[in-house]
Amino acid sequence: MKERLQQHIRRALQSCFSQGQLHSGHCPDFTVEVPAHVEHGDFSTNVAMLLAREEKQAPRKVAEALVAALGQGDGLWNRVEIAGPGFINFFLTPRCWFGVLDEVVRQGRSYGCGQQGAGRKVQVEFVSANPTGPLHIGHGRGAATGDAVASVLQAAGYQVQREYYINDAGNQMDTLGRSLYLRYRELLGEDIAFPQDCYQGVYIKDLAREVLERDGERLLELPEKQAIRHFAEYGGGRIRNGIEEDLQAFGVGFDNWYSEQGLYDRGEVEAGIALLKERGLTYEQEGALWLRTSDYGDDKDRVLVRSNGATTYFASDVAYHKEKFERGFDLVVDVWGADHHGYVPRMKAMLAGLGRNPEDLQIILVQLVNLLRDGQQVAMSTRSGEFVTLREVIDEVGRDACRFFFLMRRSDSQLDFDLELAKKQSNENPVYYVQYAHARICSINRNARDQGLQPPELGQVDVDRLTLDEELALAKALDRYPETVAGAARHFEPHRIVFYLQDLAARFHSYYNKERVLSEDPETSRARLYLVNCVRTVLQNALLLLGVSAPETM
């Protein structure tokens, strides 16, 4: 509806320019927004105030010329008013609002999709947990966020690749290998003082037992360094397989699994450092190699190579992101834990140093989840072993509730996950409330068929039968859905879809509780069936963007 109004306003501007009421010939970048107060109409535009200075007229004078040129708008509005300093307010006709129903039926599963991405290539990298332990619910929130962001971007017309970056190089893999090796020796009867800096979880003992059952005692004959490497490779592989299985159970899949170790094996890290040196972006100090990130907005310079010759995590991140753009991505989106917020300026600075627009890298920060059991927060630490795995939460509350709850807040805000609420089969449970709206409409369809009434086909209803305020409110909500998807894509905020779903479901339930969809009048029943099935389509489309099912029965 906004787009239609924008077209009318642009035509009115051109008419005013050609007829001489306005003289600048300039069409400003005006907005059409929903006013804060319903008495100000359905939409309002600031175009007159933006033009006033160039026209050297009062905004209301410019608005008067535009309103005269707008005319009746082909029946799009009942009236147009000038308010305040020069806002133009539009009061649309109910019939024009109900025109959205035909669009929903015509587009079906595609309703809400757009072309703002124009086919640009985007990579979304998310989860990327170290293969040193099972996924916990913090990883789950990142997985739900990254997957939903990717889906929303696809709906907005981008070509999207989902990628998992496997952190299989560095000290954490040595620590994993040593942890398994010590537990292995412990199982063989040695009295081991298990170090605090090793991984403490029960899964370490289980993996060590697997190795013992497979290889027996022969690994004791290996030099310790070789044995630790063997255990690291075995443990990392097994844990990665478990991560893949857990993500599959969570409904998350990746187009590409990318190895950090592969960056080193192919010489990508060395090549990245060499390029930075070539561009004069590095310097040596106290035996270490530094990158001049402070020249590009970072608060201080960063170490690439330590004085002992070891590369930093930042060095591999430089190589990884350099290589991402070399693969042809126009935009890269990283989903990181909020504890990595300090990394954002240095990554942006690195891109600027390489001559890339820092805005081509967007980083979404995800706060941890407070998991509550009987009002008590459950601690999560992979080192101590006191953590609840993502798989345990999925098994307890189900995939749908898990994903929906993770997406109910902005990713960078704290989230309390109430396990008992997520399991409730009542309207108190937000995901149940939304899914129940879809299931209710499916039930209405079944009842209609039992009465010999099929959901009407495209345009085969009299929308003038829809006279209730609740029906008009539903049509307006359906019209907002494409803009909601576009906004979620533009700002990388899938929680906007959740908020929209909760609002649409609430409007439907209120309507259902007040009026019978299948009334005694056949034509009214057909019109209402047409309306609620459009609601069903949009509920389904939005739920699927979140990776949540739209059940037909509950």
Side-chain angles (χ1 to χ4, degrees):
M1 205 64 69
K2 279 187 179 181
E3 291 175 3
R4 292 177 65 185
L5 285 175
Q6 288 167 347
Q7 291 169 5
H8 279 284
I9 293 167
R10 290 190 186 99
R11 283 199 292 267
L13 277 170
Q14 294 305 317
S15 175
C16 287
F17 294 144
S18 63
Q19 297 296 322
Q21 290 98 337
L22 299 175
H23 308 284
S24 67
H26 173 238
C27 179
D29 188 16
F30 63 89
T31 61
V32 175
E33 301 292 345
V34 177
H37 303 287
V38 67
E39 62 268 21
H40 294 161
D42 294 304
F43 291 102
S44 182
T45 181
N46 63 347
V47 63
M49 289 180 290
L50 295 177
L51 269 173
R53 177 173 292 183
E54 290 188 59
E55 294 294 330
K56 298 179 180 178
Q57 297 186 51
R60 288 187 70 91
K61 284 290 185 184
V62 177
E64 287 169 4
L66 284 171
V67 169
L70 281 165
Q72 297 303 309
D74 301 325
L76 189 60
W77 51 76
N78 282 322
R79 69 184 192 276
V80 180
E81 294 180 352
I82 301 170
F87 287 105
I88 302 175
N89 297 337
F90 296 85
F91 296 78
L92 276 55
T93 66
R95 176 168 276 276
C96 93
W97 279 116
F98 287 119
V100 72
L101 304 184
D102 287 349
E103 283 302 310
V104 175
V105 173
R106 183 180 294 111
Q107 296 181 37
R109 279 287 296 116
S110 297
Y111 183 71
C113 296
Q115 290 302 316
Q116 72 190 83
R120 295 175 66 215
K121 291 183 65 178
V122 179
Q123 185 209 67
V124 183
E125 182 235 316
F126 58 107
V127 185
S128 299
N130 294 341
T132 55
L135 298 178
H136 56 62
I137 63 169
H139 297 132
R141 189 179 188 189
T145 299
D147 197 42
V149 165
S151 294
V152 166
L153 288 171
Q154 283 177 313
Y158 291 88
Q159 292 184 50
V160 180
Q161 182 199 66
R162 292 165 168 85
E163 181 156 290
Y164 188 114
Y165 182 54
I166 310 165
N167 299 113
D168 53 359
N171 291 333
Q172 75 273 8
M173 298 309 295
D174 291 335
T175 302
L176 174 65
R178 191 185 317 100
S179 302
L180 289 171
Y181 179 56
L182 293 176
R183 290 302 189 196
Y184 170 80
R185 287 168 51 189
E186 195 174 61
L187 287 170
L188 287 170
E190 286 192 49
D191 186 13
I192 300 290
F194 201 76
Q196 283 297 112
D197 64 346
C198 283
Y199 295 112
Q200 307 287 326
V202 174
Y203 69 95
I204 295 293
K205 295 180 179 179
D206 293 339
L207 288 171
R209 190 172 290 107
E210 286 182 15
V211 176
L212 178 60
E213 291 173 356
R214 190 188 71 168
D215 297 326
E217 300 181 19
R218 68 180 183 84
L219 298 180
L220 291 177
E221 301 170 7
L222 296 176
E224 183 173 299
K225 189 173 181 180
Q226 185 179 343
I228 287 174
R229 186 166 61 248
H230 174 87
F231 277 97
E233 290 174 355
Y234 177 82
R238 286 283 290 112
I239 290 170
R240 177 187 159 175
N241 290 340
I243 288 172
E244 289 192 51
E245 291 170 3
D246 289 349
L247 289 170
Q248 186 176 20
F250 199 41
V252 173
F254 290 90
D255 303 303
N256 194 36
W257 292 74
Y258 193 102
S259 166
E260 179 186 4
Q261 185 60 49
L263 284 170
Y264 287 93
D265 296 342
R266 295 191 304 275
E268 296 280 359
V269 177
E270 290 180 4
I273 293 172
L275 177 61
L276 295 172
K277 286 182 177 179
E278 180 185 317
R279 297 199 172 190
L281 301 173
T282 63
Y283 64 92
E284 291 190 21
Q285 182 176 303
E286 298 177 354
L289 184 69
W290 297 71
L291 182 63
R292 302 179 190 275
T293 52
S294 62
D295 289 353
Y296 298 93
D298 197 5
D299 60 343
K300 62 182 180 179
D301 295 338
R302 305 293 173 173
V303 177
L304 289 169
V305 184
R306 297 187 180 92
S307 57
N308 63 2
T311 54
T312 62
Y313 287 119
F314 183 46
S316 55
D317 281 338
V318 168
Y320 179 42
H321 285 79
K322 168 181 166 291
E323 196 272 347
K324 284 187 182 192
F325 288 107
E326 288 173 349
R327 281 187 262 164
F329 293 109
D330 302 296
L331 175 67
V332 167
V333 180
D334 290 351
V335 180
W336 292 352
D339 56 332
H340 287 79
H341 65 92
Y343 248 69
V344 176
R346 73 187 72 171
M347 295 303 297
K348 297 269 190 179
M350 175 271 294
L351 279 186
L354 291 175
R356 189 93 197 184
N357 184 349
E359 293 307 301
D360 291 344
L361 172 65
Q362 293 293 320
I363 296 173
I364 300 171
L365 297 176
V366 179
Q367 282 283 0
L368 291 174
V369 180
N370 292 324
L371 184 65
L372 305 178
R373 286 189 184 280
D374 298 324
Q376 299 297 314
Q377 184 172 331
V378 179
M380 292 181 294
S381 167
T382 53
R383 288 288 171 101
S384 70
E386 296 174 2
F387 66 96
V388 176
T389 66
L390 172 62
R391 191 57 176 263
E392 287 175 305
V393 178
I394 295 170
D395 290 345
E396 183 168 347
V397 307
R399 177 202 294 183
D400 286 346
C402 202
R403 290 184 67 128
F404 196 93
F405 269 63
F406 282 143
L407 296 169
M408 281 173 55
R409 299 286 180 269
R410 284 177 57 100
S411 64
D412 59 356
S413 65
Q414 205 73 32
L415 176 69
D416 289 336
F417 194 119
D418 187 330
L419 287 167
E420 295 308 313
L421 179 62
K423 291 186 289 185
K424 280 188 176 180
Q425 299 288 303
S426 74
N427 290 343
E428 295 175 68
N429 181 349
V431 65
Y432 180 90
Y433 188 64
V434 172
Q435 289 180 314
Y436 189 42
H438 184 272
R440 256 185 170 169
I441 298 170
C442 292
S443 176
I444 292 169
N445 285 333
R446 289 190 292 271
N447 291 337
R449 283 192 293 270
D450 289 344
Q451 298 176 28
L453 190 63
Q454 295 292 331
E457 296 183 1
L458 176 63
Q460 299 301 305
V461 295
D462 179 8
V463 295
D464 288 337
R465 299 279 182 162
L466 302 173
T467 59
L468 301 174
D469 290 342
E470 292 83 0
E471 292 165 340
L472 183 60
L474 282 170
K476 290 181 178 181
L478 296 177
D479 185 76
R480 287 200 308 273
Y481 179 61
E483 184 183 4
T484 301
V485 176
R490 186 178 307 111
H491 300 284
F492 312 103
E493 293 181 341
H495 71 274
R496 294 182 181 215
I497 307 295
V498 176
F499 290 177
Y500 173 85
L501 276 167
Q502 291 176 300
D503 177 73
L504 181 61
R507 292 181 186 279
F508 168 75
H509 286 306
S510 176
Y511 174 56
Y512 178 88
N513 292 330
K514 182 177 179 180
E515 297 292 333
R516 292 178 56 195
V517 174
L518 303 178
S519 70
E520 295 180 359
D521 179 70
E523 291 306 310
T524 299
S525 296
R526 285 170 54 79
R528 289 178 176 176
L529 266 180
Y530 199 61
L531 171 64
V532 299
N533 273 289
C534 288
V535 173
R536 181 191 59 78
T537 295
V538 174
L539 286 170
Q540 182 183 48
N541 290 357
L543 283 166
L544 292 181
L545 279 184
L546 305 179
V548 177
S549 69
E552 295 189 4
T553 59
M554 293 186 72

